[in-house]
Amino acid sequence: MISDTLVDLSRLQFAATALYHFLFVPLTLGMVWLLVIMESVYVMTGQAVWKDMTRFWGKLFGINFALGVTTGITLEFQFGTNWAYYSHYVGDIFGAPLAIEGLMAFFLESTFIGLFFFGWDRLSRTQHLMVTVLMAIGTNLSALWILVANGWMQNPVGAEFSYQTMRMEMVDFWAVVFNPDAQAKFVHTVSAGYVTGAMFVLSVSAWYLLKGRDIEFAKRSFRVASAFGLASVLSVIVLGDESGYTVGEAQQTKMAALEAMWETEPAPAGLKLVAGINEAAQKNDWEIEIPYVMGLIGTRSVDKQIPGIHDIKAKNRERIVRGIEAVKALEAVRAHRDDIAARERFEALKADLGFGLLLRKYTADVSQATPAMIQQAVDSTVPRVAPMFWSFRVMVGLGFLMLALFALSFWSTLRGACMQKRWLLRWALVMLPAPWLACELGWFVAEYGRQPWTIYGVLPTHLSVSSLSVQSLYGSLAGFVGFYTLLLVVEMFLMVKFARMGPGSLGTGRYANEPAHAIAH
């Protein structure tokens, strides 16, 4: 059996590299559409300040894009190095969207990002705008295919287990692409990226305004960011509701953990604002809730119940018992492939095969599992409640804080009063880390809440890892963390350096902090 240390280190390494990578991704997703907006205004009006805005914010976008690509490439290689059985078991399905992402979306955005930076003096205004638009489309298509792959991990539709190849095989490509979980995750994630890009531009512009420099440039950037950010954060909230509904449909365990819902409540269930979670006693010592709201979000009805953790565990126990029979039936089919009765029995039980495989963590022979082992497997089907509960609430709280900030910022720009509200500018500056923290917490909730599965209900995490030594994982984990930390330091250094220089770094002769040759010119 695979050791718990090996599994935990493999998970920790993937989590660390994924969280590092997603420090770069949302800013790329958001800033690229801000560049489209700014350049569109330049093409329509011919005002040079809008071209300067596109070039300056594009420079910061380029720094972030380059370092994001570096962290993303190594992330994909880990499926082969650290998760070999996962790649073997579901590679035919999971690999398809990743291949399409590389061949279509990544090549598209990489090609046009070069034209964006080097085509200013070689392309007409309209042609360059089209390059920027195609760069934005490529960036978002890249996110789409990655999230199609991740959505399938959360809700594995369009595929079936084959006893002949002993792995999952795709039976409906379009079911994988239009998986409701994947589509909800895509629109929610890219909207969060738009919020991140808007907050970055808003915060840096607020710093310029507080310093009293590059006023017209900063005011225009602040106005665009506040409008785009307001629309984006409203989208995140609305689409987050849709994401909650898909979780309620496909992953009831995650929904129950998010809400610390130990018992099945009368429909419609209330939304807990805060609670005193007692995991040892499997209850909440106290709670404050808004009646009915969770039932409406999770079921879109007033009469459908959301099952509690205790009822979910009881159901999972039944599936694990059936899963034991599924494993035994699979072994019978493998021993006698021409036995029609054995195949029919396996087909009747194979929906619960993954639950039977959960017992492989505790015994090599699933048929010999004891009641204590079955209870351990049952308990493992629900992630720890407190981290899920509080991470989700911090994420949502940050979302509403950003909604208030963008709304007030947009209102102040309509009234032409953003310069007079220095408290608002300081608030905008302080809130700079908020979207990154919210994004990281969102991914934590999505991935930790899926445990103990890599493919929900199909493949347990402990069976997915490669046969590596613990020492090699300690070494690679330290190497990845060290290298990614270095990249993050480089990113922050370059971002701070060019943000401090401001639009004067463009050398146009129109701004403060210009190079001496530009001012003389």
Side-chain angles (χ1 to χ4, degrees):
M1 293 186 292
I2 300 293
S3 72
D4 289 344
T5 303
L6 177 61
V7 176
D8 290 343
L9 284 173
S10 297
R11 289 178 60 196
L12 180 59
Q13 180 168 303
F14 195 86
T17 51
L19 291 174
Y20 266 106
H21 177 56
F22 213 74
L23 290 172
F24 305 99
V25 171
L27 185 59
T28 298
L29 290 172
M31 281 195 71
V32 71
W33 287 110
L34 286 164
L35 298 178
V36 170
I37 294 169
M38 293 171 184
E39 189 168 0
S40 296
V41 177
Y42 165 61
V43 170
M44 289 186 290
T45 65
Q47 295 179 12
V49 66
W50 291 98
K51 178 181 179 181
D52 294 343
M53 289 165 61
T54 308
R55 292 181 60 204
F56 172 71
W57 297 114
K59 182 183 297 185
L60 298 180
F61 163 82
I63 294 169
N64 183 77
F65 177 86
L67 291 169
V69 169
T70 304
T71 57
I73 291 174
T74 54
L75 185 64
E76 292 194 11
F77 282 128
Q78 283 191 59
F79 290 114
T81 57
N82 291 42
W83 301 91
Y85 190 72
Y86 169 89
S87 299
H88 163 77
Y89 199 76
V90 300
D92 287 358
I93 306 101
F94 188 79
L98 293 186
I100 295 171
E101 185 271 337
L103 292 172
M104 184 179 75
F106 180 68
F107 286 171
L108 179 67
E109 63 179 328
S110 299
T111 300
F112 285 103
I113 199 171
L115 289 172
F116 173 82
F117 284 108
F118 301 109
W120 285 105
D121 299 324
R122 295 173 174 83
L123 301 171
S124 69
R125 291 181 186 178
T126 304
Q127 288 172 333
H128 195 278
L129 174 60
M130 291 307 301
V131 164
T132 309
V133 170
L134 289 169
M135 180 176 69
I137 292 172
T139 300
N140 283 255
L141 280 176
S142 182
L144 171 64
W145 291 109
I146 294 294
L147 291 167
V148 164
N150 183 264
W152 186 80
M153 295 172 70
Q154 311 287 344
N155 182 23
V157 297
E160 290 184 358
F161 177 80
S162 169
Y163 70 87
Q164 295 175 316
T165 60
M166 292 296 293
R167 59 182 184 173
M168 297 294 289
E169 294 182 352
M170 188 182 297
V171 295
D172 188 343
F173 174 76
W174 296 111
V176 175
V177 173
F178 294 107
N179 181 352
D181 196 283
Q183 297 304 314
K185 185 178 288 290
F186 168 67
V187 292
H188 186 58
T189 302
V190 296
S191 295
Y194 300 162
V195 171
T196 306
M199 183 63 74
F200 179 77
V201 174
L202 189 82
S203 298
V204 176
S205 300
W207 185 75
Y208 292 149
L209 294 173
L210 285 168
K211 293 292 184 179
R213 52 174 285 195
D214 305 320
I215 298 299
E216 292 306 313
F217 178 96
K219 285 171 68 175
R220 284 176 170 83
S221 297
F222 191 91
R223 184 181 305 121
V224 170
S226 63
F228 186 69
L230 178 59
S232 299
V233 76
L234 287 171
S235 298
V236 169
I237 293 170
V238 172
L239 297 169
D241 170 74
E242 179 63 26
S243 184
Y245 175 68
T246 60
V247 168
E249 289 289 300
Q251 293 180 296
Q252 293 179 336
T253 306
K254 182 185 291 184
M255 177 65 77
L258 281 173
E259 289 305 307
M261 189 180 295
W262 301 98
E263 303 290 348
T264 301
E265 300 176 4
L271 173 68
K272 295 176 181 64
L273 294 178
V274 290
I277 299 168
N278 187 339
E279 295 206 51
Q282 296 194 23
K283 67 175 186 177
N284 297 331
D285 294 330
W286 57 269
E287 56 191 40
I288 300 173
E289 73 173 26
I290 304 174
Y292 312 136
V293 173
M294 195 65 243
L296 298 175
I297 293 174
T299 68
R300 296 284 195 273
S301 71
V302 296
D303 57 1
K304 187 176 180 181
Q305 290 182 322
I306 297 176
I309 290 172
H310 293 151
D311 285 348
I312 290 172
K313 282 188 174 183
K315 181 180 178 181
N316 288 346
R317 176 184 292 276
E318 295 175 2
R319 297 196 68 179
I320 288 170
V321 171
R322 283 176 54 84
I324 294 173
E325 297 303 314
V327 172
K328 288 163 42 175
L330 176 60
E331 291 172 351
V333 170
R334 293 182 67 191
H336 307 283
R337 292 181 181 268
D338 296 329
D339 189 335
I340 297 175
R343 289 208 303 266
E344 289 177 348
R345 176 169 171 73
F346 174 68
E347 290 295 327
L349 294 167
K350 76 175 182 180
D352 295 317
L353 177 64
F355 284 83
L357 295 176
L358 287 171
L359 290 164
R360 287 276 174 85
K361 183 176 182 180
Y362 312 104
T363 176
D365 186 354
V366 170
S367 65
Q368 300 300 313
T370 64
M373 291 174 181
I374 292 174
Q375 184 59 47
Q376 284 181 294
V378 169
D379 292 337
S380 76
T381 59
V382 178
R384 287 188 59 202
V385 173
M388 293 285 291
F389 183 86
W390 291 112
S391 296
F392 180 72
R393 274 144 188 80
V394 172
M395 178 188 71
V396 172
L398 288 170
F400 280 102
L401 278 175
M402 288 185 282
L403 173 62
L405 173 60
F406 282 122
L408 289 172
S409 299
F410 183 60
W411 178 249
S412 72
T413 61
L414 292 179
R415 300 182 63 188
C418 62
M419 286 289 291
Q420 286 73 43
K421 299 183 183 296
R422 297 185 67 80
W423 62 268
L424 180 62
L425 299 176
R426 294 191 186 96
W427 185 18
L429 188 57
V430 169
M431 285 289 286
L432 177 59
W436 276 276
L437 180 57
C439 287
E440 299 287 0
L441 288 171
W443 275 109
F444 173 80
V445 166
E447 300 305 302
Y448 183 75
R450 193 184 62 241
Q451 297 304 313
W453 308 98
T454 45
I455 306 298
Y456 190 77
V458 172
L459 181 64
T461 303
H462 69 271
L463 291 180
S464 304
V465 297
S466 302
S467 299
L468 301 172
S469 68
V470 170
Q471 291 75 17
S472 67
L473 277 172
Y474 275 121
S476 61
L477 176 60
F480 274 120
V481 171
F483 178 61
Y484 278 24
T485 301
L486 177 63
L487 291 179
L488 184 60
V489 170
V490 170
E491 157 105 348
M492 294 181 68
F493 171 78
L494 292 174
M495 286 292 204
V496 170
K497 174 184 176 180
F498 284 102
R500 285 183 177 277
M501 292 174 65
S505 63
L506 299 174
T508 61
R510 290 189 287 269
Y511 302 99
N513 298 335
E514 293 274 12
H517 70 274
I519 296 174
H521 178 73

